[in-house]
Amino acid sequence: MAKRYLSKEWKESMALRLDYNNMMSEFVGEEQGYTKKDIDKLKPMAAAALKKLADERGKGWLGWMDLPFNQKEVVAEINKTAKEIRKTAKNFVVLGIGGSALGPIAVFQALCHLHYNDLSPKLRKGPKFYVEDNVDPERMAALLDVIEPEKTVFNVITKSGSTSETMTQYLIIYNILKEKLGDKAKDHIIATTSSNAGNLIKLAKAEGFKTFYIPDGVGGRFSELCPVGLLPAAVLGIDIAEMLAGAAYQDKVARNKNVYANPALMNAILQYLAMKDGKNISVMMPYADGLKYFADWYCQIWAESLGKEVDNDGKVVREGQTPVKSLGVTDQHSQVQLYVEGPFDKVVTFLAVDKYRTEVKIPEGCEDIPDVHFLCGHTMNELISAEKKATEYALTVKNKVNHTINLPEINAFTIGELLYYFEMETAFEGEFLNVNTYNQPGVENGKNATYAMLGRRGYEAKKQELDSAPAKKDDYIIG
Ligand code: PA5
């Protein structure tokens, strides 16, 4: 059967749409909103960012830009492996953290049944799925209570091949597998890592693990569209070629030199204007449970890529916007009061879905109670859409800037688009802010301190530094 993403018309019908009306002064007033003149003034900056990304695509840390186009053989191998796992494994567990976990979680939530693990095996058609992205001992114990390791495939994902959290999980799991299965333990581990750096690749070679490679030039938080995300997705029965087709579609859109026809570039400009205006909080508010963890993925890429102390010229700039996850409509009853009436320090991004994958009717009832009965005859689909519009309206009349990214529906193609769209927007924003989008020096200090505390060789000086830090005062610890 012909793949739907090969049809130009279908792809066009699935294009994301950016509605930035409520960022404009016509709608939120001159003090908070922006004008076409503001946008036009930044056109040279946008053109420079576009040119730089076009000139350097595929080079340095821009390897992620090629992922929609250069993985034909990898996709075939992933699909082959996934088919086997779907036939044989009862569980598939990702061991990883940060960029090696947030993408798989987001895609699982978006494209699988919302109670996937609770479905019967017949309906699920594949293994149960878990992503262990912490080193909370209770969580590891809880996982071991619900899976049988010998009926499970573990996908250890780490770009650096040396992240303590992931390697700790690996040590625990592989030890259990070896105790239970001896020489066959290796068949239950798949390593996804760099081909030339870190310890996991050495272990994979020594032990004989099946291995997928994270290409050079693809950093953790830009890695969802390589084997990091593609293998878990394929194991879940998701059409990964369609996901990549969605990303490729957005790649074309994001190359458009006309800022008024390039949503990722336009949004980067608007966020830049907002940041320079003191709006240092970026709220990501999907109106779909399927996109709930997409907001977590966004929080990482936006925070870790743009939150930087110094710029590319070494000047102290302390850039970045604090990303916040909010779920519509749930957080209307939690955070929206603050967004509507609190300070002018936020940009709210709504993710809206035109067509949900199902329709639920609200039945007749409560005829004697008009305040409840008005709901009858409508659908939950109408209700959630009306609530999104109502929240948008409530913010806008209070001059709170907000914009909406519309997905025609949630499917593998639109999720591929959405991932790539935000990768592009982040890359553009990093260029505008003149920061290194792809490093995370602020994370390294904490990592090194952990190594020192646990006695890792080579971190003796760090240990001394920690030991000589002022001791905490008991006076300030109460309770
Ligand atoms: O974006 C990044 O590079 C980080 O957030 C990493 O994904 C995270 O630290 C995990 O690293 P690794 O994949 O090397 O284990």
Side-chain angles (χ1 to χ4, degrees):
M1 204 173 67
K3 294 285 189 183
R4 57 188 182 177
Y5 57 82
L6 297 176
S7 148
K8 190 168 172 277
E9 293 73 42
W10 186 81
K11 285 195 287 194
E12 282 170 6
S13 75
M14 287 297 138
L16 305 182
R17 300 183 319 275
L18 167 68
D19 170 357
Y20 63 96
N21 275 283
N22 299 336
M23 298 294 292
M24 305 303 279
S25 56
E26 287 141 277
F27 293 89
V28 288
E30 274 176 24
E31 205 161 311
Q32 299 304 325
Y34 308 103
T35 59
K36 280 196 165 184
K37 213 167 149 196
D38 295 327
I39 295 167
D40 289 342
K41 259 198 226 156
L42 296 179
K43 276 184 174 172
M45 181 181 83
L50 261 179
K51 181 169 178 342
K52 182 147 180 242
L53 292 180
D55 289 351
E56 294 182 11
R57 69 178 296 137
K59 297 182 202 148
W61 282 110
L62 295 181
W64 58 269
M65 295 178 80
D66 286 341
L67 294 175
F69 311 102
N70 66 0
Q71 297 190 95
K72 206 165 168 224
E73 282 159 29
V74 182
V75 165
E77 183 58 26
I78 287 176
N79 279 332
K80 198 171 132 213
T81 307
K83 200 170 165 196
E84 192 55 33
I85 294 170
R86 281 170 69 74
K87 260 197 272 163
T88 55
K90 284 228 164 356
N91 312 288
F92 186 81
V93 179
V94 170
L95 306 178
I97 199 162
S100 295
L102 291 163
I105 296 170
V107 168
F108 169 55
Q109 178 79 6
L111 297 177
C112 292
H113 189 283
L114 289 170
H115 291 292
Y116 174 86
N117 280 352
D118 298 327
L119 290 174
S120 67
K122 201 170 153 218
L123 284 175
R124 210 174 48 236
K125 297 192 190 98
K128 289 191 179 181
F129 184 73
Y130 303 89
V131 181
E132 296 301 299
D133 63 344
N134 204 350
V135 285
D136 180 337
E138 294 184 14
R139 173 132 163 226
M140 178 54 82
L143 174 75
L144 294 170
D145 283 341
V146 296
I147 62 159
E148 289 169 274
E150 60 275 33
K151 294 183 180 159
T152 303
V153 172
F154 296 89
N155 186 193
V156 190
I157 309 180
T158 166
K159 162 84 180 178
S160 63
S162 56
T163 300
S164 301
E165 294 88 344
T166 307
M167 296 316 288
T168 299
Q169 294 172 336
Y170 160 78
L171 284 165
I172 295 165
I173 293 296
Y174 199 41
N175 192 45
I176 295 172
L177 285 171
K178 276 193 293 192
E179 272 173 13
K180 289 188 185 282
L181 298 169
D183 287 351
K184 296 235 173 305
K186 69 170 178 42
D187 301 336
H188 291 253
I189 302 273
I190 298 180
T192 304
T193 190
S194 164
S195 64
N196 50 37
N199 302 309
L200 186 59
I201 187 62
K202 289 183 206 145
L203 288 164
K205 284 186 177 151
E207 302 289 326
F209 301 149
K210 167 101 190 147
T211 304
F212 286 97
Y213 296 118
I214 305 176
D216 292 342
V218 178
R221 51 193 177 273
F222 286 81
S223 68
E224 174 52 22
L225 294 167
C226 81
V228 168
L230 297 182
L231 177 62
V235 168
L236 289 164
I238 293 164
D239 185 342
I240 56 174
E242 183 172 305
M243 256 172 84
L244 290 171
Y249 186 85
Q250 261 316 303
D251 179 71
K252 196 167 164 217
V253 176
R255 290 191 207 205
N256 198 322
K257 290 189 176 138
N258 174 8
V259 296
Y260 290 98
N262 183 333
L265 188 58
M266 172 58 82
N267 230 1
I269 290 175
L270 292 166
Q271 290 282 24
Y272 179 84
L273 285 167
M275 273 187 246
K276 295 298 157 194
D277 216 13
K279 295 181 173 53
N280 283 325
I281 299 173
S282 167
V283 178
M284 177 58 65
M285 192 163 189
Y287 271 73
D289 272 66
L291 300 176
K292 182 173 173 179
Y293 297 117
F294 182 83
D296 279 343
W297 175 87
Y298 167 78
C299 286
Q300 188 212 15
I301 200 167
W302 201 245
E304 216 166 52
S305 303
L306 305 177
K308 299 289 151 75
E309 185 172 10
V310 292
D311 70 8
N312 289 327
D313 305 317
K315 196 171 134 212
V316 175
V317 287
R318 294 189 213 289
E319 293 289 5
Q321 222 181 12
T322 304
V324 174
K325 166 189 172 184
S326 187
L327 179 66
V329 308
T330 309
D331 285 311
Q332 286 177 202
H333 299 267
S334 160
Q335 301 174 17
V336 164
Q337 165 63 29
L338 168 72
Y339 301 163
V340 170
E341 294 200 343
F344 289 104
D345 58 357
K346 299 170 197 68
V347 180
V348 176
T349 303
F350 293 111
L351 297 181
V353 179
D354 294 341
K355 192 168 178 279
Y356 291 84
R357 285 165 283 192
T358 190
E359 186 181 83
V360 176
K361 288 206 163 82
I362 305 171
E364 287 304 320
C366 298
E367 281 78 4
D368 303 339
I369 315 173
D371 291 352
V372 176
H373 185 69
F374 77 96
L375 295 164
C376 303
H378 290 288
T379 60
M380 286 181 94
N381 308 53
E382 285 175 287
L383 182 60
I384 194 168
S385 299
E387 292 205 37
K388 185 262 165 188
K389 280 186 197 131
T391 304
E392 190 185 346
Y393 169 76
L395 284 168
T396 306
V397 293
K398 289 285 190 178
N399 297 342
K400 297 292 167 48
V401 288
N402 64 88
H403 55 245
T404 298
I405 296 166
N406 284 286
L407 282 74
E409 60 185 55
I410 299 176
N411 59 38
F413 186 87
T414 57
I415 291 301
E417 280 191 278
L418 200 61
L419 289 161
Y420 199 85
Y421 167 93
F422 277 107
E423 290 176 352
M424 284 307 304
E425 186 181 326
T426 306
F428 287 137
E429 204 64 68
E431 292 303 320
F432 296 172
L433 297 173
N434 187 31
V435 294
N436 184 338
T437 311
Y438 305 99
N439 68 1
Q440 50 280 327
V443 181
E444 301 306 325
N445 204 14
K447 273 192 187 175
N448 294 342
T450 308
Y451 298 153
M453 280 188 262
L454 293 186
R456 179 168 167 187
R457 208 169 51 189
Y459 290 81
E460 295 77 11
K462 192 79 195 167
K463 177 84 171 69
Q464 272 181 4
E465 183 191 313
L466 291 173
D467 290 344
S468 57
K472 282 190 173 174
K473 290 185 177 172
D474 285 342
D475 287 359
Y476 298 149
I477 302 173
I478 57 173

